[in-house]
Amino acid sequence: MKSDYYANQAEDLFAPDGEGIDDIIYLDINIYAYRASQKEDLPECMYSSEIDVINNEVWVISAVGLCYEANPIVMLGEELRYLLEEFRKQRSKLGIT
């Protein structure tokens, strides 16, 4: 969300029906964030979890690069949008629009 484009589009990208992000940022690092619509959309280690992706808005966020792979973060849409709003407020305090 450091990019102005994504910061300004966050409300739409991460709406319950938003398209999320799948983009190359910072040289070779691919950042992705998508809404899980079925169990198979979750990280493999979570297939047997009790997370109900059908009745809940569940998002998966991670990054992958040539020599780098972050452990995916799984969170509810409300939590994700709250964090994005807090980030937006911090950018505003610093004078970044």
Side-chain angles (χ1 to χ4, degrees):
M1 298 313 317
K2 190 174 179 180
S3 155
D4 288 342
Y5 171 78
Y6 289 119
N8 294 329
Q9 300 295 322
E11 189 173 317
D12 294 330
L13 292 170
F14 300 106
D17 62 347
E19 62 186 60
I21 295 175
D22 184 3
D23 199 0
I24 296 177
I25 302 176
Y26 304 120
L27 304 173
D28 70 336
I29 298 175
N30 185 304
I31 306 293
Y32 64 88
Y34 60 89
R35 183 167 176 190
S37 60
Q38 56 188 0
K39 281 276 192 187
E40 292 75 21
D41 292 338
L42 296 173
E44 190 174 333
C45 64
M46 300 186 81
Y47 285 177
S48 63
S49 72
E50 297 298 318
I51 297 173
D52 179 3
V53 298
I54 304 299
N55 296 307
N56 292 293
E57 182 190 347
V58 178
W59 287 79
V60 179
I61 303 136
S62 193
V64 178
L66 184 60
C67 300
Y68 175 83
E69 183 169 356
N71 289 326
I73 297 169
V74 177
M75 64 177 37
L76 295 174
E78 287 180 8
E79 295 171 311
L80 176 58
R81 286 186 291 279
Y82 171 80
L83 291 174
L84 292 171
E85 179 60 21
E86 290 300 310
F87 181 75
R88 188 193 62 74
K89 288 177 185 176
Q90 292 301 316
R91 284 176 56 100
S92 180
K93 284 182 184 177
L94 296 172
I96 304 169
T97 57

